[in-house]
Amino acid sequence: VCRSNKSPWVCLTCSSVHCGRYVNGHAKKHYEDAQIPMTNHKKTEKQEKVQHTVCMDCSSYSTYCYRCDDFVVNDTKLGLVQKVREHLQNLENSAFTSDRHRKRKLLENSSLNSKLLKVNGSTTALCATGLRNLGNTCFMNAILQSLSNIQQFCCYFKELPAVELRNGKTAGRRTYHTRSQGDNNVSLVEEFRKTLCALWQGSQTAFSPESLFYVVWKIMPNFRGYQQQDAHEFMRYLLDHLHLELQGGFNGVPRSVILQENSSLSASNKCCINGASTVVTAIFGGILQNEVNCLICGTESRKFDPFLDLSLDIPSQFRNKRTKNQEIGPMCTLRDCLRSFTDLEELDETELYMCHKCKKKQKSTKKFWIQKLPKVLCLHLKRFHWTAYLRNKVDTYVEFPLRGLDMKCYLLEPENSGPESCLYDLAAVVVHHGSGVGSGHYTAYAAHEGRWFHFNDSTVTLTDEETVVKAKAYILFYVERQAKSGSDKL
């Protein structure tokens, strides 16, 4: 209808081809048009069978049902869906399409050549790979690109042994999950590893993380569907599930062997969250000390809480939108947010503390100290907050340093830390563009080998530090600065 050659979807009832849900949605219109005659009178058995509800993506061979509004992972008893896949694959490999395939390769090569840039007078290839948007999956893409640029974390997964999914009759053919296989054959670690391996190779302009998205849907049901999701919430679920899966070993390799292979995961660096330590807790794990003091009898209560990231409020004095007549006040900085998080706070009436000495709930104060800093400090700025009826966004710009974020003043025992062990340099920033958590768009800035890149789904562009520092950050990833030796010290 629209003559588009992007994302062709074939109707499995009548074989007509229309564009898919990510283009102009004519496959959906085809389904809706087929339902109209059936609304006026009672459905007969014959009409029940001739419903154009199921279609297949000719590029990824995934099957979608418009009636269920969901991807279908099972097959008919006769395996008809798999037969259609094989037929489409044969067409793709036939002489009929070889010329088109050759032209596509030429286009890919030309697009790769266009990704050349000049650095210090010499021409180098822009080897960064984008991630295709599978329908409001920018929240996932921004987090994946950020994590892929945290070298110690990324390298650990890329060096894990691969899971061999193809053997015998299925060799050389795509592997498709079916509902009968159950969740046991789904591995988040494996799909995460494959996605990280596909990035920074420069072999393609964009990678489609369909397999990873499928696993995310399977093990994180609240991320099913194609509505916009919260990038911070996704990051926490992703890290938690990677942590849990790694605790049970990976691809038959015991967890103890995996840990031993990475010498950086020494006992002193471990921070256990929900069981044994993994690379997730060894790199992102820190420990908070929570002090609560009863204002009536002075009893102090302390407890230690492990964390993977710190969620920081933007202080209320910086939230108000200024009118034209108001003078521009002081700029909000990341230090203001950290100070607000760690400052002594009196708990309000709804948060009264149960004092064990007074034997009842009393007024009290609370203060956080950082007992142990992580290798990678993840800071989440709480930009979304609930009002009476809806969730609003705090659009305040927060100034943040690219280098030398000093965390020593927030430590419980700063005297026990080294001269540079509390200094952090920025590795990646996730930005939310738009007004609401359920809408808008996510992109990421990340540093790779001394250069900054902007990741906007499939599009990756080289950028500069001046552009990065102007971003209205939502999530900041800071990497611990390595201590320098001898005369190199600052």
Side-chain angles (χ1 to χ4, degrees), residues 132-406:
R132 287 197 178 93
N133 192 316
L134 305 176
N136 276 334
T137 56
C138 56
F139 69 92
M140 179 174 77
N141 293 348
I143 294 297
L144 292 174
Q145 293 286 17
S146 298
L147 294 177
S148 77
N149 285 284
I150 297 171
Q151 295 307 313
Q152 194 176 4
F153 184 71
C154 179
C155 290
Y156 174 86
F157 284 93
K158 291 202 289 190
E159 290 168 7
L160 283 175
V163 174
E164 295 300 329
L165 294 174
R166 299 167 186 168
N167 51 36
K169 293 181 180 179
T170 60
R173 190 188 298 168
R174 291 189 197 207
T175 303
Y176 295 93
H177 297 281
T178 65
R179 208 166 274 167
S180 60
Q181 283 179 301
D183 290 349
N184 294 332
N185 290 332
V186 169
S187 170
L188 179 65
V189 172
E190 168 64 2
E191 295 306 333
F192 185 66
R193 183 194 69 80
K194 287 195 288 190
T195 302
L196 293 181
C197 288
L199 302 174
W200 293 106
Q201 290 183 343
S203 57
Q204 52 190 335
T205 52
F207 174 74
S208 183
E210 288 173 339
S211 298
L212 176 62
F213 195 36
Y214 168 81
V215 174
V216 167
W217 274 24
K218 276 291 235 185
I219 64 176
M220 307 178 203
N222 45 328
F223 290 101
R224 289 181 71 88
Y226 292 93
Q227 66 272 24
Q228 183 64 279
Q229 302 278 4
D230 187 343
H232 174 250
E233 187 181 355
F234 171 74
M235 183 197 75
R236 286 305 312 270
Y237 271 89
L238 177 69
L239 292 179
D240 286 345
H241 280 279
L242 288 171
H243 171 64
L244 289 171
E245 193 172 313
L246 285 168
Q247 284 184 82
F250 178 71
N251 193 25
V253 181
R255 188 186 61 82
S256 58
V257 175
I258 293 175
L259 287 174
Q260 286 169 12
E261 287 177 356
N262 195 326
S263 59
S264 63
L265 305 183
S266 61
S268 61
N269 291 329
K270 292 177 183 177
C271 171
C272 297
I273 298 174
N274 298 329
S277 174
T278 66
V279 67
V280 176
T281 52
I283 289 180
F284 289 96
I287 300 173
L288 279 177
Q289 178 176 295
N290 185 356
E291 289 181 0
V292 180
N293 282 279
C294 175
L295 290 175
I296 307 302
C297 69
T299 300
E300 184 181 88
S301 172
R302 294 180 183 177
K303 85 173 174 177
F304 294 97
D305 296 316
F307 68 87
L308 293 178
D309 69 318
L310 297 178
S311 288
L312 311 177
D313 278 307
I314 296 173
S316 56
Q317 66 265 31
F318 299 107
R319 292 188 192 178
N320 298 328
K321 290 184 178 179
R322 300 181 182 90
T323 62
K324 290 181 180 179
N325 298 329
Q326 284 181 302
E327 291 184 13
I328 297 174
M331 183 181 291
C332 181
T333 67
L334 189 58
R335 186 168 289 278
D336 291 321
C337 300
L338 283 164
R339 194 180 295 116
S340 173
F341 179 78
T342 55
D343 274 355
L344 190 70
E345 171 193 1
E346 185 172 337
L347 299 175
D348 61 28
E349 295 292 329
T350 61
E351 299 177 296
L352 290 178
Y353 164 66
M354 183 66 188
C355 178
H356 298 294
K357 190 173 181 181
C358 300
K359 304 294 183 186
K360 63 178 182 178
K361 290 187 175 182
Q362 300 282 33
K363 285 190 173 183
S364 54
T365 60
K366 179 181 73 172
K367 180 171 175 60
F368 283 121
W369 293 97
I370 298 176
Q371 200 261 343
K372 176 191 172 294
L373 282 164
K375 288 180 176 295
V376 175
L377 179 64
C378 180
L379 301 175
H380 160 237
L381 299 178
K382 291 163 99 174
R383 290 198 173 275
F384 301 106
H385 66 101
W386 287 101
T387 58
Y389 302 104
L390 55 112
R391 205 175 179 190
N392 282 339
K393 182 181 176 183
V394 180
D395 208 36
T396 305
Y397 170 73
V398 177
E399 186 181 44
F400 55 90
L402 284 179
R403 297 177 192 85
L405 173 66
D406 193 350

